[in-house]
Amino acid sequence: MIINEHTDWLEIDLGAYKKNIQKMKEITGRPVMPVIKANAYGHGLAEVARAAFQGGAAICGVARTEEAFRIRRKGIRGKILVLGGAMPEHVPFVLSEDVSISLTDPETAKGVSAEAVRLKGKVHVHAKVDTGMNRLGVPVEKGLDFLKLLNNLPGLQVDGLFTHFARADELNTGTTENQLMRFTGFLDEVRLAGLTPSVVHSANSAASLYFPAARFDMVRPGIALFGINPAPEAPLPEGFSPVLQWKTRLISVKTIPPGNGISYGHRYTTTQVEKVGVIAVGYADGFRRMDGNRVLIRGRYAPVIGSICMDQCVVSLDDIPDATLGDEVVLIGSQNENHISAQTIAEKWGTIAYEVVCGLTARLPRIYKDE
């Protein structure tokens, strides 16, 4: 147990994160670009970025230029690629801080070029083509013209070329195979034109593990490196470890007579004399106001009863008679032989594990260990 003064906190195992990077390198045989956008999927941006580079990351991927700025502000100097959202007005920062950006359309590319020329610099860029995600990137059919444009625009250095898969975590749809076929056909055209950049990449977590042909020169997993399955039908192989545990404390224990409502709205009413506890976690921390939540206390499952409040919620202790004030409570993680995963919570909430961990709010202290 990590000793701390908090009532509600996250424990982040950076050593496990580094080992997961090494495991991904071992499986894929490729350099790894850990994607650490969205506050490193809730785990803490700067701390995870530093651990990623220490763990052998070739480059780190973020979603927005602001994230790259936060990393640089912490004195972390490894290579960074902004995967989306870079604009011409960001050029002074990316030049001064040696950050690479993705270009996804000709208009933005021209604006970035003009700003780079004005500042007498050269922006390192990766070109994105759309093979079926229909989000960012020029249509793959126009990809060769786009790549020619980027190579001819002054102030740009084209280092990479990539696409993104829409359904790589759904293994039997055929969609990923179709996107991969379109991308490899496009790469043949690029090679014939003599425009292949130094790095071609396409594989997110699921594709890195389940579609070897998508690995190209580098893989860019995100969720898998945190020890979380990309999807129920795309589980992690053995050797990956969860990085995050979410814990709180039991701050009240009492006995409630029958016929009494519990918490806001009295959505739960006692039917007999019941032992209940209050834990120091609520929806302001990211614990959703949903039915069916449960936690671990003394290694046993305790159901959440009544409405979840902003800062607290109530749990049934009838099956845990030895529970006492100050007991450690696990929302995500293990206690004795039992376990609650982000995937388990996601299923109860009708969402995906990504949303569970990304929704862990800023007020939750992150406590890091690195062993």
Side-chain angles (χ1 to χ4, degrees):
M1 172 180 172
I2 297 176
I3 303 300
N4 70 88
E5 72 279 14
H6 303 295
T7 55
D8 183 19
W9 70 97
L10 302 177
E11 294 177 6
I12 314 292
D13 187 346
L14 297 176
Y17 186 74
K18 295 176 188 178
K19 290 176 183 175
N20 290 342
I21 292 174
Q22 292 302 314
K23 185 64 179 179
M24 186 63 76
K25 290 175 72 173
E26 176 188 320
I27 290 171
T28 64
R30 299 290 189 277
V32 175
M33 178 202 297
V35 176
I36 55 172
K37 60 186 178 179
N39 197 29
Y41 294 62
H43 293 67
L45 178 63
E47 294 81 2
V48 171
R50 185 174 287 109
F53 290 123
Q54 291 172 349
I59 181 172
C60 279
V62 297
R64 299 172 181 170
T65 311
E66 304 95 285
E67 294 171 325
F69 174 76
R70 287 174 55 200
I71 293 170
R72 288 290 190 252
R73 190 168 57 181
K74 293 292 184 178
I76 301 167
R77 302 309 308 176
K79 291 183 178 181
I80 300 173
L81 172 64
V82 179
L83 290 162
M87 305 296 291
E89 52 264 36
H90 298 151
V91 169
F93 165 73
V94 301
L95 284 176
S96 65
E97 297 294 342
D98 189 25
V99 170
S100 301
I101 64 172
S102 301
L103 290 176
T104 63
D105 67 90
E107 183 177 351
T108 301
K110 292 173 184 176
V112 169
S113 168
E115 189 66 5
V117 169
R118 184 183 72 81
L119 294 171
K120 298 181 174 60
K122 183 157 288 195
V123 177
H124 291 261
V125 304
H126 289 224
K128 185 170 189 178
V129 295
D130 182 9
T131 56
M133 180 75 175
N134 293 312
R135 194 174 60 178
L136 293 177
V138 298
V140 68
E141 295 79 11
K142 298 181 180 179
L144 189 58
D145 288 339
F146 183 53
L147 202 53
K148 289 177 179 177
L149 172 68
L150 298 184
N151 277 278
N152 288 327
L153 284 172
L156 303 183
Q157 172 64 51
V158 182
D159 295 332
L161 177 61
F162 71 109
T163 193
H164 189 57
F165 298 121
R167 303 177 74 181
D169 55 354
E170 301 173 57
L171 303 183
N172 299 309
T173 64
T175 305
T176 303
E177 290 88 347
N178 180 264
Q179 283 191 255
L180 191 53
M181 181 177 64
R182 297 179 72 192
F183 190 53
T184 53
F186 164 65
L187 291 177
D188 288 339
E189 297 178 19
V190 172
R191 292 187 187 97
L192 287 174
L195 296 175
T196 305
S198 58
V199 181
V200 174
H201 51 103
S202 70
N204 58 8
S205 288
S208 297
L209 296 169
Y210 287 98
F211 294 91
R215 292 169 183 166
F216 296 107
D217 301 314
M218 179 172 65
V219 295
R220 49 169 207 271
I223 198 78
L225 299 183
F226 297 104
I228 299 173
N229 294 336
E233 68 175 81
L236 293 172
E238 289 188 10
F240 288 88
S241 300
V243 172
L244 176 146
Q245 293 195 89
W246 184 7
K247 297 181 178 180
T248 184
R249 297 192 191 279
L250 197 55
I251 60 172
S252 173
V253 177
K254 61 177 68 176
T255 301
I256 307 295
N260 280 265
I262 300 290
S263 193
Y264 288 122
H266 285 183
R267 293 168 58 193
Y268 179 91
T269 301
T270 56
T271 58
Q272 56 187 2
V273 176
E274 297 184 28
K275 183 177 181 180
V276 303
V278 177
I279 58 175
V281 66
Y283 59 76
D285 305 295
F287 200 44
R288 283 198 193 171
R289 213 164 175 262
M290 308 275 286
D291 293 332
N293 288 304
R294 62 179 184 169
V295 299
L296 285 168
I297 302 173
R298 299 205 166 205
R300 284 161 278 174
Y301 294 105
V304 176
I305 56 176
S307 297
I308 292 174
C309 309
M310 185 180 292
D311 310 297
Q312 299 100 28
C313 59
V314 182
V315 296
S316 172
L317 297 177
D318 279 345
D319 294 331
I320 314 174
D322 52 341
T324 60
L325 283 173
D327 277 355
E328 185 176 275
V329 180
V330 172
L331 292 90
I332 296 177
S334 299
Q335 202 177 59
N336 295 351
E337 300 301 318
N338 287 320
H339 181 73
I340 298 174
S341 68
Q343 295 97 313
T344 301
I345 294 175
E347 290 169 8
K348 291 184 182 297
W349 291 356
T351 185
I352 55 176
Y354 297 73
E355 191 174 358
V356 173
V357 291
C358 287
L360 298 173
T361 62
R363 82 168 184 174
L364 280 166
R366 272 79 172 160
I367 300 174
Y368 295 94
K369 70 174 185 176
D370 191 354
E371 298 176 357

